[in-house]
Amino acid sequence: MIRWRWVWFSISILLLIVAWPGSQRLRFDRSLHRMFAPNDPTRTDFEFLQSKFGVSDLVVFAYRDEKLWVKDGTGLKRLQRIRERIEAVPGVRIAMDLSKIDQMLGQLDQPFAIFGSLQGGGTRHILLDEDIAIANEFKAIFEGQTHSRQGTLVAIACLLSHANQITIANKETLLNLRRIGDSLADEGLENGMLVGQPVMVEEGFDEIEQDGKRLSIVSTISLALFILVGFRSFRWAIISIGVVQWSLIVTRGLLESLAWDLTMVSSMLASIVTVIGVATTMHWMLGYQRAMKSQANPEVALQVSMQGLWRPIVWACITDAIGFASLAFAKVGPVQDYGCMMAIASLVVLVGIFVLVPTMALLPLAPKRFAKSLGVSYELFQIPGDEPLRQCFLWFLKWVNRWPVAVASAAMLIFIFAVLGSLRLKVETDFIKNFRSDAPLVVAYRAVENELGGAGVWDVILPAPKFLSQSYLDLVTALEAKLLTLEVPGVMPLRLTKVMSFADADHASRSSPILVRLSIEARLIAMRQVMGSFVDTLITRPVDEQRFLRIMLRSREQAEAAQKEQLIADVRRTVEAAIRCEEWMALFGSRVAAGPSRKSGSTLQIEPIGSKAVVSGYYVLLSQLVSSVVADQWRCFAVATIGIWIAMALALRSPWMALLTILPNALPSFCILGWMGWTGMPVNLGAAMIAAVSMGLSVDSSLHYLIRFQCLRRDGQSFQAALIASQSEIGMAILLSTFALVLGFGSLATSNFLPTVVFGITASISMMGGLLGNLVVLPALLSLRKSTG
């Protein structure tokens, strides 16, 4: 490698040039439903809901107006002006609010006008007249959708033009809507707020994407400064940056060529590549320093350090890759992709180290005299506090050798206690809690949660006959009444706060002496004439003898995961019972349905029309997302443990020696999860992946320790002498590389996305625990193994 270093370096530059265009094209997948596997019912149900009703196109524009209900119509007129400005924004298909409902009711003064074009409804505001029954009916129906119960929060539902995923055009649309919200200050109102899935995608995920890029820079600079200031080595600071940036560009290029996208889970890709790259490079740097103390020639010192470190460096990157690759056994799609991405990145870092370090380590980066004037070492550097730290390591070893049984027993008891606590884990299903409390997105959702009956929005999709009948709508109304009676007990009982469908709108319209004389289909045509395509979000048009009706549900987002799961299950059970009754099935006959497919082996199950309903929406997606990750973590951890043990057995050529590395490196992660379980702290996406990942990273230190121990034993040193030398030499490398890991992961704590913060903090704590495990528990286990033969 050293002799042909310029050849390898040239190849690395060529790879960099080839990978660069693809690394810039790597996309960020912003969809939530793709967090699930393609055949997962949670995803297929949501995609069916999206295909029929376009739920991801709905944005709610909200603001506060104390004069909304004043009798002179000041509030409604202002609402109409704002709504018309919103409808004029390119990309907004239609907007629905109280002023449009008021105009619709005004058409009742002109019986046949409801079938013509809507002209504004005159000067009378029927919606403000409390003596008119139909006005009170519609106000009650749309409470929680267009206004709050107290009447101070006003909402305008906006349908955007593009479906399925947010586009550049929709970004511009949302920007224009925000400008309208900011302009409300000119009328003496607070700024408007935007909520909805496109807003969450554009605002939340854009923040995550920018966060990942920023954290990559922060972690790279902080780790490079750590090497430059802590070791006063300009050369190795540049080497670490070179290895990290090369690895990151090549990894991104590879991912783009494989048609993979970054997701919410993998947004920290750059930061973790930085941590792995710097920590691995640091081991070589410290080995190079040891060699330089006895070798005057830098090339010879580099060769000696490579001969001693190539095995632990190779196997350390392999164990990193195994730890991440174990996430491929998760059921959540982006977690699988993230694991595979990071496994590839770990191997790319391994290649980067061997093709870059030999050339960069021997390349004159600055004249020696200039480096000396800066107080920076050109070849040999000294670690501050080197000798006191080594003495501290030896004191630990002396203490461990005196009581190895006590140390090992205490570690095992802590491990068991932590495992029991980890079985009590609760998951955080409130997606808004993934963002900092002062973020505009959180402020807006908090207002919806508190004043519009809850931020949890979900739906029931019911099959409907081609021609609606009163008996069908009566069954839908009866189902809605049953849904409203559902309640899940708890400190704060959880129930549905709003249930609304076309059946409610049709029932309210019958309060009009004019509309009650029309058929249901005629009333539907009248509503579509007034509300436009907004009606299509309530009921579809007939296709192939079939149509679908949507019941819109709303509930509190801030509730325990178990409560949410129980409420979703209760709703599904109630809906299933309703569509299996004889009265319901009699409306549809024996025709087959075209609803979401279900597969049993290789056979597609075809069900009669009317026999299949779907309960889905973002509430359902988010309530099951983290639960799926937490459920998968034990499988992933088991796979990581087995894979790492096999790799360590091959690297150490000893299955028993490899087994000794499991407890010291598994213990820290389980202590974190156990503490969260015993204290009742909810687990989010960041903490849910920590066990498998942190074990793959922290086991690197055990590998360096044991390989050095084995080398010394093969050189003829006694067990105790080899243990002391390993503790002194490798202990320093473990300490410094762990500090680099903690510093790198600690930079994630500055993120605005809380799962990234939690992952960074828990990984840092786990790395510190791994340091103690490798300097205290591992020597104790080695001593016990020796004493037992």
Side-chain angles (χ1 to χ4, degrees), residues 200 203-205 207-208 264 430-439 441-442 752-755:
M200 183 184 297
E203 186 172 317
F205 282 74
E207 186 173 291
I208 296 170
M264 176 175 61
D430 186 351
F431 187 76
I432 298 303
K433 287 186 178 179
N434 289 327
F435 301 92
R436 295 191 182 274
S437 59
D438 57 347
L441 183 69
V442 176
N752 291 319
F753 187 55
L754 294 188

Side-chain angles (χ1 to χ4, degrees), residues 3 72 98 157 233 246 248 255 332 342 544 586 593 632 708 724 764 777:
R3 184 181 301 116
D72 63 0
L98 284 172
S233 176
W246 184 90
L248 186 57
L255 297 180
V332 178
M342 289 310 309
D544 297 331
D632 289 340
R708 181 59 176 166
I724 291 173
S764 297
V777 180

Side-chain angles (χ1 to χ4, degrees), residues 226 230-231 382-397 724 727-736 739 771 775:
F226 168 62
F231 303 101
Q382 184 66 33
I383 302 171
D386 184 304
E387 193 56 34
L389 287 173
R390 293 181 190 277
Q391 293 301 318
C392 182
F393 299 150
L394 294 178
W395 180 87
F396 272 124
L397 182 60
I724 291 173
Q727 186 84 353
S728 176
E729 294 177 14
I730 305 302
M732 180 61 68
I734 293 175
L735 173 67
L736 296 174
F739 188 81
L771 172 66
L775 294 180

Side-chain angles (χ1 to χ4, degrees), residues 24-345:
Q24 302 304 302
R25 293 194 302 266
L26 187 63
R27 299 177 304 174
F28 192 88
D29 187 349
R30 297 165 174 248
S31 58
L32 288 175
H33 62 281
R34 290 177 187 167
M35 296 287 286
F36 297 86
N39 59 348
D40 191 310
T42 303
R43 174 172 172 174
T44 56
D45 286 349
F46 181 83
E47 289 175 340
F48 181 71
L49 167 64
Q50 169 65 21
S51 68
K52 296 302 179 183
F53 295 102
V55 293
S56 66
D57 301 332
L58 181 64
V59 171
V60 175
F61 181 99
Y63 68 96
R64 300 186 185 281
D65 190 350
E66 299 289 343
K67 297 183 178 180
L68 176 64
W69 300 110
V70 295
K71 297 301 183 180
D72 63 0
T74 300
L76 284 181
K77 290 177 183 177
R78 176 158 47 201
L79 175 58
Q80 180 179 342
R81 290 196 303 270
I82 296 172
R83 190 247 305 160
E84 289 172 349
R85 289 178 61 191
I86 289 174
E87 289 180 321
V89 172
V92 175
R93 264 193 291 163
I94 191 171
M96 183 66 189
D97 68 337
L98 284 172
S99 69
K100 182 164 286 189
I101 296 173
D102 184 60
Q103 289 178 349
M104 179 186 70
L105 297 178
Q107 296 297 304
L108 297 179
D109 289 336
Q110 307 170 47
F112 298 101
I114 57 175
F115 299 102
S117 60
L118 185 64
Q119 300 296 331
T123 58
R124 184 187 178 194
H125 297 287
I126 294 179
L127 201 61
L128 300 177
D129 193 334
E130 297 179 356
D131 296 328
I132 299 179
I134 192 172
N136 294 328
E137 289 273 2
F138 271 90
K139 281 192 291 186
I141 289 174
F142 284 92
E143 182 182 292
Q145 306 291 340
T146 59
H147 62 284
S148 63
R149 178 171 298 180
Q150 294 78 12
T152 59
L153 189 65
V154 191
I156 303 174
C158 312
L159 281 177
L160 305 185
S161 299
H162 297 82
N164 298 324
Q165 62 181 1
I166 198 157
T167 64
I168 299 299
N170 277 359
K171 284 190 175 184
E172 186 65 27
T173 299
L174 295 178
L175 180 60
N176 288 329
L177 291 176
R178 287 194 186 93
R179 288 170 180 163
I180 294 175
D182 295 340
S183 69
L184 296 185
D186 298 336
E187 300 193 35
L189 301 175
E190 297 179 7
N191 289 345
M193 301 174 288
L194 283 179
V195 295
Q197 192 267 348
V199 182
M200 183 184 297
V201 168
E202 190 274 335
E203 186 172 317
F205 282 74
D206 191 56
E207 186 173 291
I208 296 170
E209 185 177 11
Q210 295 302 320
D211 220 20
K213 296 177 182 178
R214 179 178 59 83
L215 291 174
S216 171
I217 298 173
V218 170
S219 55
T220 301
I221 293 176
S222 61
L223 290 170
L225 287 176
F226 168 62
I227 295 175
L228 183 61
V229 176
F231 303 101
R232 308 185 71 78
S233 176
F234 178 75
R235 175 189 299 279
W236 286 93
I238 295 298
I239 289 174
S240 65
I241 294 175
V243 169
V244 166
Q245 293 305 314
W246 184 90
S247 302
L248 186 57
I249 292 171
V250 172
T251 299
R252 290 175 62 90
L254 276 173
L255 297 180
E256 195 277 335
S257 68
L258 294 172
W260 283 356
D261 298 331
L262 295 179
T263 64
M264 176 175 61
V265 180
S266 54
S267 62
M268 63 185 87
L269 170 73
S271 300
I272 298 183
V273 169
T274 301
V275 172
I276 295 174
V278 172
T280 308
T281 304
M282 186 171 291
H283 275 286
W284 198 339
M285 178 183 71
L286 295 170
Y288 176 78
Q289 182 212 27
R290 290 197 302 270
M292 277 296 294
K293 289 181 178 180
S294 58
Q295 303 288 339
N297 189 324
E299 184 170 334
V300 175
L302 187 66
Q303 182 177 346
V304 170
S305 62
M306 179 183 286
Q307 289 174 344
L309 290 171
W310 76 266
R311 277 183 59 216
I313 287 177
V314 168
W315 286 105
C317 289
I318 290 175
T319 55
D320 291 344
I322 291 173
F324 284 110
S326 67
L327 297 177
F329 289 83
K331 294 182 180 179
V332 178
V335 174
Q336 298 174 344
D337 294 344
Y338 170 67
C340 295
M341 287 178 186
M342 289 310 309
I344 291 173

Side-chain angles (χ1 to χ4, degrees), residues 296-523:
N297 189 324
E299 184 170 334
V300 175
L302 187 66
Q303 182 177 346
V304 170
S305 62
M306 179 183 286
Q307 289 174 344
L309 290 171
W310 76 266
R311 277 183 59 216
I313 287 177
V314 168
W315 286 105
C317 289
I318 290 175
T319 55
D320 291 344
I322 291 173
F324 284 110
S326 67
L327 297 177
F329 289 83
K331 294 182 180 179
V332 178
V335 174
Q336 298 174 344
D337 294 344
Y338 170 67
C340 295
M341 287 178 186
M342 289 310 309
I344 291 173
S346 300
L347 299 178
V348 170
V349 168
L350 175 61
V351 174
I353 286 174
F354 284 112
V355 299
L356 294 177
V357 172
T359 301
M360 298 184 71
L362 299 177
L363 184 67
L365 299 179
K368 293 184 179 181
R369 185 175 301 174
F370 175 68
K372 187 176 181 180
S373 67
L374 295 177
V376 177
S377 173
Y378 187 71
E379 299 295 353
L380 185 61
F381 48 89
Q382 184 66 33
I383 302 171
D386 184 304
E387 193 56 34
L389 287 173
R390 293 181 190 277
Q391 293 301 318
C392 182
F393 299 150
L394 294 178
W395 180 87
F396 272 124
L397 182 60
K398 183 179 179 180
W399 180 74
V400 166
N401 284 337
R402 184 175 300 174
W403 296 293
V405 176
V407 172
S409 300
M412 185 58 68
L413 289 175
I414 294 173
F415 182 77
I416 294 173
F417 185 74
V419 169
L420 293 175
S422 66
L423 299 177
R424 299 164 52 92
L425 287 174
K426 298 179 180 179
V427 297
E428 180 58 80
T429 57
D430 186 351
F431 187 76
I432 298 303
K433 287 186 178 179
N434 289 327
F435 301 92
R436 295 191 182 274
S437 59
D438 57 347
L441 183 69
V442 176
V443 173
Y445 269 89
R446 191 180 297 125
V448 172
E449 177 83 353
N450 296 332
E451 301 182 51
L452 292 182
V457 178
W458 44 314
D459 304 277
V460 174
I461 305 178
L462 296 175
K466 181 178 181 180
F467 298 104
L468 298 178
S469 64
Q470 190 58 53
S471 58
Y472 173 79
L473 294 184
D474 288 343
L475 289 174
V476 172
T477 302
L479 172 59
E480 292 180 14
K482 292 179 181 178
L483 292 176
L484 284 172
T485 64
L486 299 177
E487 180 175 298
V488 180
V491 178
M492 290 186 63
L494 183 64
R495 62 177 67 89
L496 295 173
T497 57
K498 188 69 180 179
V499 176
M500 189 193 81
S501 71
F502 171 77
D504 301 294
D506 182 75
H507 177 77
S509 68
R510 294 204 304 270
S511 300
S512 165
I514 297 174
L515 292 181
V516 73
R517 299 178 182 274
L518 302 178
S519 68
I520 296 175
E521 293 295 337
R523 289 196 292 269

Side-chain angles (χ1 to χ4, degrees), residues 610-776:
S611 66
K612 186 61 187 177
V614 170
V615 177
S616 186
Y618 291 107
Y619 188 82
V620 178
L621 285 179
L622 297 175
S623 68
Q624 297 183 5
L625 177 59
V626 183
S627 300
S628 299
V629 177
V630 172
D632 289 340
Q633 77 166 336
W634 306 119
R635 181 190 305 108
C636 296
F637 177 76
V639 172
T641 301
I642 295 172
I644 289 172
W645 175 76
I646 293 173
M648 294 289 283
L650 293 173
L652 299 170
R653 302 185 181 96
S654 171
W656 286 106
M657 194 77 78
L659 192 62
L660 298 181
T661 65
I662 301 300
L663 179 61
N665 295 287
L667 181 59
S669 298
F670 274 95
C671 283
I672 293 171
L673 295 175
W675 177 74
M676 298 179 77
W678 286 116
T679 59
M681 178 180 292
V683 176
N684 62 19
L685 279 175
M689 299 184 296
I690 193 62
V693 172
S694 64
M695 183 168 176
L697 292 173
S698 63
V699 80
D700 297 355
S701 298
S702 300
L703 188 62
H704 282 274
Y705 192 107
L706 292 175
I707 286 181
R708 181 59 176 166
F709 174 79
Q710 288 180 326
C711 289
L712 293 172
R713 290 286 285 159
R714 282 196 297 268
D715 290 343
Q717 294 194 26
S718 66
F719 179 91
Q720 196 62 31
L723 196 59
I724 291 173
S726 299
Q727 186 84 353
S728 176
E729 294 177 14
I730 305 302
M732 180 61 68
I734 293 175
L735 173 67
L736 296 174
S737 62
T738 299
F739 188 81
L741 287 168
V742 171
L743 185 63
F745 281 118
S747 67
L748 301 181
T750 63
S751 171
N752 291 319
F753 187 55
L754 294 188
T756 303
V757 174
V758 171
F759 182 83
I761 293 174
T762 53
S764 297
I765 296 172
S766 182
M767 295 300 104
M768 292 297 294
L771 172 66
L772 291 176
N774 285 301
L775 294 180
V776 177

